[in-house]
């Protein structure tokens, strides 16, 4: 035994009796507290007297006994907890006390012990991972192991939920440092089971396991191959499930009848089965036979339970209105279909016309397009030539600008008319001057202008220009001393700059004159070019439209054909709707003999006035049976609509609550109905009460010897025979239902 920080630790060896099956080691060494090892010691000794041949000593029962026998504080708490709930500790311990002994190695364990120990190990890791598995962990495990010995806890009257909740509270108090873990443990308590209450209504889940019988009787009732009349007695005491059985048969018959209606003439089941419930006890105060017959005629309904006469008449009126609406809808759909057909025919003709005309129109447009392209080409050539002429004139005006500038300057300074002969020299000099640098260009131009002026003066013989020539000569003489003539050179440069400005101004004015002279012609040719190009675009679009017109017409035709198909489909639906409405009305109409008869019997109060006339009952049932048989035969032999009713199933319930005379009346009517092949009767009753009632039913169960005149002896014999027959009924049917 090793001492821990706060708890003594014991190492024990546990042997798994199913180690091979569970695929785990057979022997394991576990670290537990000294208190839990003490429980192991008690459990080991407690098991020995129970079964000496069983080597497993640590079990569910032995550990439960150990926890209720130990004197540790927590085990005392468990003893008090169970004692307050009427569970004595001796129930588990059997009054045995054992001293603590040295634990054998290993201890044999069962699966129940290992499940609890594994849960205890999990709780230990959650609450106190640094400590060994203790009594508190193992005790807590017993209350929350899933599906753990529930039958034993129930037998011992131990509430595991209360155990878990109260132990969690106790451990949270004893071990405050583990409070969070034990509060979480309390949430593992098994939930309170949801309780439910079911009334004695004849529906709900099948707890009697009667579905096979229900299916058999329902198929027998609904099958066309079943030869009717048919009577079924449902015998049982009150509360034994007679009403429940008949209700489930009725529901199943209704589903089979729905199958018969869906499958039509080829079905194995009748589709028009009228099912009628009759609670004899509800009519026991009045004339029960008349009430039963009246109830039958007023409840010959298919499907919905609570259909009354007003409901059927209202539904008939609604169907008539629906038929009128359907007819109007049919007329509208016919008009839509005809309109769609007319539009389709028109579109078809348009396609044919287009196919006939379009090739010629396309060829004409193509010729027109080619002519327009040729005209556009001519205009474009004329426009290019005009632009070339304009550019030539502009270039000439720019080239002539220097000459005109020199002449303009000469005219400004020397008004003389004989300057034309100097034009050639001026142009050549200007050309040479342009080869000079930036500053020397205006100087050279000034010199040249001055020289030309002197030449002109020499030619003209004017004295001022003679002086100018002398000035030039003098200028040449003084050129050697350049510094002195700088100012004069600057003046000459300024004259050259004035010449450049004049040249640019004259060139610009000349270009503007040329452009103005040619602009009108260019604008006219450009406008003509645009008109010709627009005409070509228009012709191209018209040609594309002509080319696509056939495709568009065909697309429109296809759309109209689809509209026509939709309209035709709607028309067919309208026809089907009218047919369906007429068929539905035929099912509810009073036009057939059967419908007239049922409506007449449902509306008449004859049975209220003549409640005791069995002859009328028989006549009506006979007539009803013939009409149903005829309508059913016509339905299966031809295309006529199904009959209103093809089979009647009557469920008579609570007959054993009625007085004796009422029971006899009902049995007589049932006997009367079984003379006709359209009835299937289910009668639920306690056979003991039927036996008692038959004792007082002359002609049904025994002969009334009291009327034979045999006096008291005869009466005694009759009573003996009656009692003997009652005993035989009891032997056949059984007194306890």
């Amino acid at each position: 035994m090793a001492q821990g920080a706060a708890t003594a630790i014991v190492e024990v060896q546990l042997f798994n009796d199913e180690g091979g099956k569970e695929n785990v080691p057979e022997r394991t060494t576990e670290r537990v507290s000294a208190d839990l090892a003490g429980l192991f010691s008690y459990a080991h000794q407690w098991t020995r007297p129970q079964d000496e041949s069983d080597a497993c000593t640590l079990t569910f029962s032995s550990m439960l006994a150990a926890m209720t026998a130990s004197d540790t504080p927590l085990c005392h708490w468990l003893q008090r907890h169970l004692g307050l709930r009427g569970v004595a500790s001796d129930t588990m311990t059997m009054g045995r006390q054992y001293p603590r002994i040295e634990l054998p190695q290993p201890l044999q364990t069962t699966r129940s012990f290992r499940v609890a120990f594994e849960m205890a190990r999990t709780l230990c890791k959650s609450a106190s991972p640094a400590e060994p598995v203790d009594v508190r962990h193992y005790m807590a495990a017993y209350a929350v192991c899933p599906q753990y010995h529930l039958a034993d806890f129930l037998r011992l009257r131990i509430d595991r939920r209360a155990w878990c909740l109260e132990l969690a509270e106790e451990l949270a108090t004893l071990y405050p440092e583990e409070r969070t873990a034990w509060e979480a443990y309390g949430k593992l308590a098994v939930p309170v089971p949801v309780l439910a209450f079911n009334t004695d209504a004849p529906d709900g889940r099948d707890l009697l396991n009667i579905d096979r019988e229900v299916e058999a009787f329902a198929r027998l009732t609904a099958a066309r191959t079943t030869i009717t009349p048919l009577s079924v007695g449902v015998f049982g005491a009150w509360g034994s499930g007679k009403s429940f059985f008949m209700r489930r048969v009725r529901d199943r018959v209704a589903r089979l009848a729905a199958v018969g209606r869906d499958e039509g003439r080829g079905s194995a089941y009748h589709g028009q089965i009228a099912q009628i419930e009759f609670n004899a006890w509800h009519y026991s105060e009045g004339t029960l036979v008349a009430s039963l017959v009246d109830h039958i005629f007023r409840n010959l309904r298919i499907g919905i339970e609570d259909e009354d006469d007003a409901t059927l008449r209202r539904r008939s009126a609604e169907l008539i209105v629906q038929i009128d609406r359907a007819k109007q809808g049919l007329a509208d759909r016919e008009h839509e279909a005809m309109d769609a057909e007319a539009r389709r025919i028109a579109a078809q003709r348009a396609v044919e016309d287009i196919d006939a005309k379009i090739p010629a129109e396309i060829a004409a447009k193509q010729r027109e397009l080619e002519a327009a392209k040729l005209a556009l080409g001519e205009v474009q050539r004329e426009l290019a030539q005009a632009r070339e002429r304009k550019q030539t004139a502009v270039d000439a005006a720019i080239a002539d600008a220097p000459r005109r500038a020199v002449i303009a300057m000469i005219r400004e300074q020397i008004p003389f008319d004989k300057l034309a002969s100097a034009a050639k020299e001026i142009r050549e000099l200007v050309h040479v001057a342009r080869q000079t640098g930036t500053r020397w260009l205006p100087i050279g131009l000034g010199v040249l202008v001055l020289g030309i002026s002197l030449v002109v003066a020499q030619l003209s013989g004017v004295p001022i220009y003679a002086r100018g020539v002398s000035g030039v000569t003098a200028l040449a003489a003084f050129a050697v001393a350049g510094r002195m003539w700088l100012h004069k050179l600057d003046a000459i440069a300024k004259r050259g700059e004035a010449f450049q400005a004049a040249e640019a101004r004259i060139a610009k004015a000349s270009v503007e004159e040329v452009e103005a002279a040619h602009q009108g012609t260019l604008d006219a040719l450009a406008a003509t070019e645009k008109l010709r190009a627009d005409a070509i675009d228009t012709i191209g679009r018209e040609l594309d439209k002509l080319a696509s017109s056939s495709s568009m017409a065909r697309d429109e035709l296809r759309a109209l054909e689809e509209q026509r198909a939709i309209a035709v489909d709607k028309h067919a639906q309208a026809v089907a709707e009218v047919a369906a409405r007429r068929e539905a009305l035929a099912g509810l109409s009073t036009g057939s003999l059967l419908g007239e008869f049922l409506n007449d019997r449902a509306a008449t109060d004859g049975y209220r006035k003549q409640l005791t006339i069995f002859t009328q009952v028989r006549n009506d049932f006979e007539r009803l049976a013939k009409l149903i048989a005829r309508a059913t035969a016509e339905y299966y032999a031809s295309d006529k609509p199904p009959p209103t009713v093809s089979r009647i199933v009557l469920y008579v319930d609570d007959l054993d609550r009625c007085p004796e005379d009422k029971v006899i009346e009902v049995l007589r009517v049932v006997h009367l109905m079984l003379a006709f092949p359209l009835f299937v009767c289910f009668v639920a009753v306690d056979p003991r009460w039927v036996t008692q009632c038959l004792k007082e039913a002359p002609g049904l169960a025994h002969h009334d010897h009291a009327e034979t005149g045999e006096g008291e002896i005869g009466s005694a014999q009759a009573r003996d025979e009656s009692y003997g027959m009652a005993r035989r009924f009891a032997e056949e049917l059984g007194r306890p239902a």
Side-chain angles (χ1 to χ4, degrees), residues 405-422:
V406 171
I407 293 172
M409 291 186 67
I410 292 173
R411 284 177 178 175
E412 289 176 358
Q413 297 181 14
I414 304 174
F416 187 71
D417 296 333
K418 295 180 180 181
L419 298 176
S421 61

Side-chain angles (χ1 to χ4, degrees), residues 318-320 322-323 326 576-586:
E318 290 174 353
L319 283 174
I320 292 173
Q322 292 174 6
I323 288 177
E577 183 180 1
V578 171
R581 299 297 182 189
R582 286 173 175 167
E583 184 177 355
L585 182 62

